[in-house]
Amino acid sequence: MTIERFRQLWTHRYFKYSHILKAHLLAYQAWIYFKKKKAKFAPGQELIAIVRTEHFGDIVAAEPISRYVRSLHPNAFIVWFVKPSYHELIDFNPSIDETFGEFCVTQRRILFEKNVFDKVYPLQFSNNNHCAKCQVFLDNPIADRKGINVHTYFNFGNLLEVFAQTADLINSRTPFPADDQPRLYLQDQHRQKADSLHLPENFIVIHCQSNYAPKDWPAARWDQLVQWLSENYSYHIVEIGLKSNLTTKESSYRNLCGQLSILETAEVIRRADFFIGLDSGPSHLANAGGTTGIILMGSLGAFPSYNPYSGSYGRQENAFFVRQEGKMCSELSCEFVKEKVANALETSALTKGE
């Protein structure tokens, strides 16, 4: 072994085991914190945990579960476990008493082994629940028993129905038993940020990159779509997301990528006439915000055709799915997408009586 390789190995081990040690310490701190909190509860009051830590579209899709769990445990103290970067999606939810910013799955595993929580609702299945630094996967026996995993989950319904099943809230392949429309809890600060942007009166929000390449549509075709929209419609085009990969110079186009928080983005989408995007987090914000969506979708792994949404998008009441059976999103031609977008804009205008 060379000196350089030796150094790399022990640097890796140092950071790995330092991370694991920190996870253990934070777990014990959290256990003490919740023990003290629980000691002040009224007799019979429960401490309930809901676990959906990522991704933010999944957290939005799972929001109806917070209200359903509250209906099952009206007097409980309910804590939602989430990655810190997504805490704002939970912070303002009136059905949740506390947002717990999770350090990693090891911390959560140790905390739950202390049995301080009276009930845990895990909205995750085993092989999408991972800490890369600990190199640990956290199992969900409920999901394992039902056969729900990353290769099968869309065989069990939309995301809301899948998550409800992984928590044993409903039986397999059973519709969600309560209001299934996701909600957002936007605050004045989010509205004020949107006000400060001086958005045009009529605009379309676009989102062009997901967190998973097989769901994406090529940037060059997005550029063509923006040009076509600018030439044929009076709408301004506003792009949102983390980072733009477009090269368009259209005067009606505006790039807001990387400038907004999740809920600020949600408020911008809510104000738009239409959302055109991918099967990704912002499309779930559009669903929750009630903006008419035009969603570019394709086959995904073992799922040639699937519907991740509940609520109005799930019923396609104000959503148009742009897809071709068996084709990946990247395989959709620009002409095909333009045709479907034109039909959706026309149909929506007729519905609104414009």
Side-chain angles (χ1 to χ4, degrees):
M1 180 182 293
T2 64
I3 299 249
E4 178 61 19
R5 177 59 184 145
F6 180 82
R7 185 188 66 80
Q8 292 174 351
L9 176 63
W10 282 99
T11 299
H12 168 76
R13 288 179 176 175
Y14 170 77
F15 284 111
K16 175 181 177 179
Y17 291 112
S18 296
H19 174 89
I20 292 172
L21 176 61
K22 185 175 181 180
H24 279 73
L25 290 174
L26 290 174
Y28 281 101
Q29 289 178 6
W31 174 62
I32 292 170
Y33 168 77
F34 285 116
K35 283 281 287 185
K36 290 181 177 178
K37 181 175 287 289
K38 197 172 181 180
K40 300 176 183 179
F41 284 2
Q45 187 177 10
E46 297 175 297
L47 180 62
I48 303 292
I50 298 175
V51 182
R52 182 68 225 179
T53 59
E54 58 177 336
H55 301 278
F56 85 78
D58 292 349
I59 295 168
V60 174
E63 183 279 334
I65 289 175
S66 67
R67 289 177 272 130
Y68 185 55
V69 169
R70 173 57 69 191
S71 73
L72 298 176
H73 306 274
N75 300 315
F77 189 92
I78 302 176
V79 181
W80 189 300
F81 282 67
V82 68
K83 284 192 172 181
S85 54
Y86 304 129
H87 71 89
E88 65 178 308
L89 289 169
I90 310 300
D91 288 346
F92 308 108
N93 185 331
S95 296
I96 302 299
D97 295 293
E98 183 170 332
T99 309
F100 186 86
E102 176 180 289
F103 177 68
C104 79
V105 298
T106 295
Q107 177 202 28
R108 184 185 352 129
R109 175 182 61 79
I110 295 166
L111 173 59
F112 286 172
E113 286 174 352
K114 298 294 181 182
N115 295 319
V116 68
F117 284 87
D118 297 293
K119 181 71 177 177
V120 175
Y121 291 106
L123 312 185
Q124 308 195 165
F125 37 88
S126 297
N127 47 6
N128 77 332
N129 204 356
H130 178 237
C131 175
K133 291 185 177 179
C134 293
Q135 296 178 326
V136 166
F137 283 91
L138 196 60
D139 292 333
N140 178 353
I142 301 168
D144 291 344
R145 171 168 48 85
K146 295 185 176 185
I148 303 173
N149 57 55
V150 72
H151 305 294
T152 65
Y153 64 105
F154 274 129
N155 295 330
F156 293 81
N158 60 48
L159 288 175
L160 174 61
E161 292 166 346
V162 170
F163 297 148
Q165 289 171 66
T166 66
D168 234 2
L169 284 164
I170 63 176
N171 295 323
S172 293
R173 300 173 178 82
T174 301
F176 191 69
D179 177 15
D180 70 347
Q181 177 62 46
R183 297 180 188 173
L184 297 170
Y185 301 96
L186 300 169
Q187 306 297 301
D188 285 343
Q189 66 204 60
H190 309 123
R191 290 183 278 270
Q192 289 165 7
K193 176 63 177 181
D195 289 342
S196 74
L197 299 172
H198 304 291
L199 295 164
E201 182 177 353
N202 298 110
F203 67 100
I204 295 171
V205 164
I206 62 172
H207 179 246
C208 308
Q209 293 183 85
S210 70
N211 65 352
Y212 187 52
K215 294 182 178 181
D216 289 348
W217 198 49
R221 290 179 211 167
W222 278 110
D223 281 328
Q224 293 177 53
L225 183 66
V226 170
Q227 180 182 359
W228 173 78
L229 286 168
S230 298
E231 292 174 350
N232 292 277
Y233 297 92
S234 59
Y235 297 107
H236 289 256
I237 312 298
V238 177
E239 184 182 2
I240 53 88
L242 292 177
K243 184 178 179 180
S244 177
N245 62 350
L246 305 189
T247 60
T248 182
K249 303 298 182 184
E250 297 293 333
S251 60
S252 62
Y253 165 83
R254 183 176 178 184
N255 178 9
L256 291 180
C257 293
Q259 301 176 43
L260 305 171
S261 73
I262 294 173
L263 288 185
E264 289 168 355
T265 299
E267 176 61 15
V268 170
I269 293 172
R270 190 190 66 80
R271 297 184 182 198
D273 293 272
F274 296 94
F275 171 87
I276 303 178
L278 308 163
D279 168 23
S280 60
S283 67
H284 290 277
L285 297 178
N287 183 22
T291 300
T292 298
I294 303 170
I295 313 300
L296 281 60
M297 300 173 68
S299 62
L300 182 65
F303 313 113
S305 181
Y306 67 99
N307 183 348
Y309 307 102
S310 65
S312 61
Y313 271 30
R315 293 182 287 274
Q316 296 184 62
E317 295 168 350
N318 67 330
F320 302 86
F321 294 166
V322 180
R323 60 184 173 188
Q324 290 178 290
E325 186 77 21
K327 285 192 175 183
M328 296 177 63
C329 187
S330 62
E331 297 177 294
L332 301 177
S333 71
C334 196
E335 291 306 313
F336 175 78
V337 171
K338 286 192 290 187
E339 177 187 349
K340 295 300 182 183
V341 169
N343 289 340
L345 295 179
E346 180 180 347
T347 299
S348 183
L350 290 172
T351 301
K352 295 176 181 177
E354 297 177 359

